[in-house]
């Protein structure tokens, strides 16, 4: 990205992305304003009377005041949020020192208010939504860019005993003050410019109105102008405002503003009711579907701001063409229906928030008006569908990339990875989403156990290892080490470990009834579980509940995190050993603490690290390490288990080096419970071995 920013167009790309993100950040405010608009303009008299009965006669005035306040303050909020996002992107993409964000936001707020004061009023309300949003965009972009140029020129040398807050505040005084005065002077100069002359525009409209095709030209022009303005994030309908009414109000005797509202803008600007339908058809899950569901009610009342700012459509090239094309074709469809005599428009005021089909019937006094709207909905849906599919495919690719990045970060290990991943990044959000899915999955069909048999040096099965399996509904199988790491940092390891213990013991009790009491069940425990004082009690209760002898269970300690050197851990391990449950150390030989743990704990078995057993045939160093560990095992009367055994040659080499138990695909892959029981029973009756 740093290289891209050196190109002339790359800075504009950065601005566009920051503006789009800012509109999405302000989505809660947009939603509040949308619902206030729906309440204020509610077209059903019965519903209005009900609201009077519930909230009193002033409810509509309160809703109107909320609309005005949100419209007025939206530009200010946009200005501050945009300035912060631009400052963060500039620092991230160019590798510069980040400007102190709190002062960037404050400077943007002050600059915005200075411009408002220059307009002749110390309050924002007279500015209106459109001017407010435009001003917010300009100031939000300019403030971090200009501060980034000014701040280095006034940077002071830091002192080792300076308070950081005081140091940064002192350094930001000159650039903020200079920028504030420059903004005020620029605003005053702008206000001194002569007003825009609209006489030529009015004369052009008058000339067009005398043409035979005036209906088509003015209708198409109004739709295109309003929607092009919308694409920049400015409310296109109110920009046209009274000018649209003056230009289109009575040309040819047809109420064109009503025709566009009723037939051209189904669901609001952009004919976005078709977009909602397309989103519901294509997006079966994820943010697009959630946004579509939230937008159903506003679109029912022809309010489309949630989609324009939330999807977003504004400044999003994916949706430019359908956003322009859908209302244009629907307006042409309405014009064609009128000029062909299929429908007639009556002199009847239909509130613009009247739902589709009802508004078409009221304006035409006929089912034909509703039929034209139905056809328009089909047309707009078909227009939006390919673009929605493209956007959903792009979103799915981004989600997969974020998921892979999160899995990679989690699987790479290291403590506190969730805290180190920004919750505002896609990977950080994916990691937290995975944690939430894991929390919901414990005890459900999404999380199960598989069992991999363990054989002695004669080939006879002597035990199994219970292995965690997590089937994510969207991403498929998730690695067990990722699930364990998530549970450890997310505070779920106790709950997950208790479920694994219960499930494995229940399966072992079932196998005992089938005639497999000699098979030991190895269950993995996290070092964090060893710090839980209740672990021995939970283990003893589980054994008693399933009527298992302690010797039937083996706890494998995984070195996903360092085992704490604490009295609680030592007491827990001593209690487990005294209970008669065996302890095994997993992935032995490559961790820097493996030998320390062998000295510290009463270990029954050690399982060689897989990287050693995989290399035993081709790496003499791995063979020497395995032989040394096996000799240590014999001296300490500890069983040495080789995992990832896949060939007879590999097994024979490991046996020659001193390993006395084997686990791997040479014998069997991990199996579901019933299949594993069948395998063990078959092996018990087969003297030939594998």
């Amino acid at each position: 990205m740093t290289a891209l920013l050196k190109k002339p167009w790359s800075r504009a790309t950065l601005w566009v992305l920051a503006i789009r993100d800012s509109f999405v950040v302000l989505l809660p405010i947009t939603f509040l304003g949308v619902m206030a608009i729906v309440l204020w303009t509610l077209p059903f008299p019965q519903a209005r009377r009900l609201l009077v009965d519930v909230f009193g006669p002033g409810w509509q005035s309160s809703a109107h005041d909320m609309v005005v306040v949100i419209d007025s303050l939206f530009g200010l909020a946009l200005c501050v949020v945009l300035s912060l996002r631009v400052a963060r992107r500039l620092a991230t993409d160019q590798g510069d020192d980040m400007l102190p964000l709190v002062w960037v936001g404050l400077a943007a707020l002050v600059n915005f208010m200075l411009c408002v004061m220059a307009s002749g009023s110390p309050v924002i309300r007279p500015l209106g939504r459109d001017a407010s949003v435009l001003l917010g965009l300009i100031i939000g972009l300019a403030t971090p860019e200009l501060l980034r140029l000014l701040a280095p020129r006034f940077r002071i040398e830091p002192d080792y005993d300076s308070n950081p807050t005081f140091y940064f505040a002192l350094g930001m005084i000159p650039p903020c003050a200079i920028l504030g005065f420059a903004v005020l002077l620029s605003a005053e100069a702008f206000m001194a410019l002569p007003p825009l002359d609209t006489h030529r525009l009015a004369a052009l409209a008058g000339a067009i109105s005398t043409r035979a095709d005036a209906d088509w030209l003015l209708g198409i022009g109004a739709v295109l102008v309003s929607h092009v303005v919308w694409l920049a994030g400015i409310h296109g309908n109110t920009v046209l405002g009274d000018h649209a009414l003056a230009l289109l109000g009575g040309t040819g005797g047809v109420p064109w503003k009503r025709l566009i509202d009723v037939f051209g803008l189904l669901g609001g600007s952009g004919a976005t009711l078709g977009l909602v339908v397309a989103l519901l058809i294509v997006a079966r899950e994820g943010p697009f579907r959630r946004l579509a569901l939230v937008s159903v009610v506003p679109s029912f009342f022809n309010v489309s701001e949630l989609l324009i700012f939330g999807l977003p459509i504004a400044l999003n090239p994916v949706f430019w063409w359908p956003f322009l094309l859908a209302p244009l074709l629907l307006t042409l469809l309405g014009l064609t229906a009128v000029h062909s005599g299929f429908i007639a428009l009556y002199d009847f005021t239909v509130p613009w928030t009247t739902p589709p089909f009802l508004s078409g019937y009221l304006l035409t006094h006929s089912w034909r008006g509703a039929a034209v709207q139905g056809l328009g909905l089909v047309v707009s849906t078909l227009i939006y569908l390919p673009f929605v599919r493209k956007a959903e495919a792009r979103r799915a690719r981004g989600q997969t990339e974020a998921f892979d990045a999160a899995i990679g970060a989690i699987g790479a290990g290291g403590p506190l990875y969730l805290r180190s991943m920004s919750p505002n990044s896609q990977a950080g959000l994916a990691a937290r989403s995975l944690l939430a899915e894991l929390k919901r999955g414990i005890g459900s069909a999404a999380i199960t156990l598989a069992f991999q048999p363990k054989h002695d040096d004669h080939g006879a099965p002597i035990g199994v290892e219970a292995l965690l399996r997590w089937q994510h509904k969207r991403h498929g199988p998730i690695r067990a080490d990722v699930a364990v790491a998530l549970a450890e940092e997310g505070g779920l390891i106790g709950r997950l470990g208790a479920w694994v213990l219960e499930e494995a013991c229940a399966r072992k009790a079932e196998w005992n009834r089938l005639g497999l009491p000699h098979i030991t069940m190895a269950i993995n425990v996290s070092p964090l579980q060893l710090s839980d004082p209740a672990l021995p009690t939970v283990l003893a209760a589980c054994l008693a509940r399933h009527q298992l002898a302690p010797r039937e269970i083996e706890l494998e300690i995984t070195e996903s995190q360092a085992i704490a050197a604490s009295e609680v851990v030592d007491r827990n391990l001593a209690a487990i050993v005294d209970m008669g449950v065996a302890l095994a150390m997993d992935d032995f030989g490559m961790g820097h603490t493996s030998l320390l743990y062998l000295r510290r704990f009463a270990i029954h078995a050690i399982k060689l690290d897989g990287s050693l057993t995989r290399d035993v045939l081709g790496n003499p160093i791995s063979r020497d390490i395995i032989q040394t560990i096996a000799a240590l095992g014999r001296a300490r009367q500890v069983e040495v288990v080789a995992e990832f055994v896949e060939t007879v040659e590999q097994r024979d080499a490991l046996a020659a080096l001193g390993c006395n138990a084997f686990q791997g695909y040479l014998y069997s892959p991990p199996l579901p419970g019933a299949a594993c029981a069948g395998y063990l029973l078959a092996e018990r009756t087969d003297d030939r071995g594998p």
Side-chain angles (χ1 to χ4, degrees), residues 421-587:
M421 297 170 69
S422 170
N424 296 322
S425 69
Q426 284 190 312
L429 189 60
R432 285 160 177 80
S433 175
L434 278 172
L435 178 60
E437 293 280 358
L438 178 63
K439 184 176 182 179
R440 289 192 293 269
I442 297 175
S444 73
I447 295 181
T448 58
L449 291 183
F451 303 90
Q452 188 170 35
K454 180 174 66 174
H455 293 248
D456 63 15
D457 50 4
H458 299 294
I462 56 176
V464 298
E465 180 184 2
L467 299 169
L468 188 68
R469 293 292 181 263
W470 180 13
Q471 185 71 22
H472 193 277
K473 63 181 182 180
R474 189 179 305 165
H475 299 291
I478 306 295
R479 287 162 36 192
D481 62 320
V482 171
V484 171
L486 272 173
E488 286 177 337
E489 189 169 342
L492 297 176
I493 193 62
R495 181 181 162 197
L496 179 61
W499 178 86
V500 170
L501 186 64
E502 178 69 24
E503 188 73 11
C505 287
R507 184 64 64 178
K508 182 62 175 72
E510 179 184 327
W511 291 353
N512 285 353
R513 292 189 290 271
L514 295 175
L516 297 169
H518 64 288
I519 297 296
T520 60
M521 176 70 73
I523 304 171
N524 291 284
V525 294
S526 161
L528 293 184
Q529 290 176 263
L530 299 178
S531 299
D532 183 359
L535 179 60
T537 304
V538 172
L539 176 59
C542 195
L543 294 175
R545 185 162 49 252
H546 295 286
Q547 299 179 345
L548 299 178
R551 68 176 182 277
E552 298 180 67
I553 299 299
E554 180 180 81
L555 295 187
E556 288 190 10
I557 303 172
T558 60
E559 203 175 343
S560 56
Q561 295 197 26
I563 301 175
S566 68
E567 293 183 4
V568 174
V569 173
D570 292 342
R571 282 198 305 268
N572 282 348
L573 291 172
I576 291 170
V577 172
D578 292 343
M579 193 185 303
V581 174
L583 293 178
M585 180 60 66
D586 199 10
D587 297 329

Side-chain angles (χ1 to χ4, degrees), residues 212-265:
D213 56 354
D215 303 343
W216 305 86
L217 291 176
L218 294 176
I220 292 171
V223 170
L224 289 178
V225 170
S226 64
H227 283 70
V228 167
V229 174
W230 262 121
L231 290 176
I234 309 298
H235 200 300
N237 295 358
T238 56
V239 165
L240 289 176
D242 294 336
H243 296 292
L245 290 174
L247 295 176
L248 305 175
T251 304
V254 178
W256 296 111
K257 183 64 169 64
R258 272 177 280 170
L259 183 142
I260 293 174
D261 286 344
V262 171
F263 295 104
L265 306 182

Side-chain angles (χ1 to χ4, degrees), residues 82 114 136 184 213 222 338 476 486 542 651 657:
L82 178 58
L114 288 173
L184 181 60
D213 56 354
V338 171
L486 272 173
C542 195
R651 180 199 61 191
L657 293 172

Side-chain angles (χ1 to χ4, degrees), residues 135-320:
L135 180 61
L137 291 174
I138 295 172
I139 299 298
L141 292 173
T143 297
E145 291 282 5
L146 295 175
L147 282 178
R148 184 172 166 272
L149 295 176
L150 291 171
R153 290 166 171 75
F154 298 95
R155 184 169 293 166
I156 58 176
E157 291 297 327
D159 194 352
Y160 69 91
D161 61 352
S162 296
N163 179 283
T165 303
F166 176 77
Y167 166 75
F168 284 114
L170 196 64
M172 292 300 293
I173 289 175
C176 287
I178 292 172
L179 181 58
F181 280 114
V183 167
L184 181 60
L185 292 175
S186 300
E188 294 284 0
F190 179 80
M191 294 304 299
L193 294 175
L196 182 67
D197 185 6
T198 60
H199 293 298
R200 292 185 179 180
L201 181 61
L204 176 62
I208 293 176
S209 65
T210 62
R211 295 169 56 102
D213 56 354
D215 303 343
W216 305 86
L217 291 176
L218 294 176
I220 292 171
V223 170
L224 289 178
V225 170
S226 64
H227 283 70
V228 167
V229 174
W230 262 121
L231 290 176
I234 309 298
H235 200 300
N237 295 358
T238 56
V239 165
L240 289 176
D242 294 336
H243 296 292
L245 290 174
L247 295 176
L248 305 175
T251 304
V254 178
W256 296 111
K257 183 64 169 64
R258 272 177 280 170
L259 183 142
I260 293 174
D261 286 344
V262 171
F263 295 104
L265 306 182
L266 293 180
S269 295
T272 48
L273 187 58
L275 174 57
V276 171
V277 175
L279 287 170
L280 292 175
I281 291 173
V282 173
R284 296 299 180 181
E285 58 183 5
F288 283 177
R289 186 167 186 85
R290 289 193 290 271
L291 181 62
L293 291 173
V294 172
S295 302
V296 167
V297 172
S299 296
F300 186 67
F301 293 99
N302 301 309
V303 180
S304 56
E305 277 87 343
L306 281 177
L307 293 165
I308 292 174
F309 297 125
L311 194 57
I313 294 173
L315 297 168
N316 186 350
V318 174
F319 289 104
W320 282 358

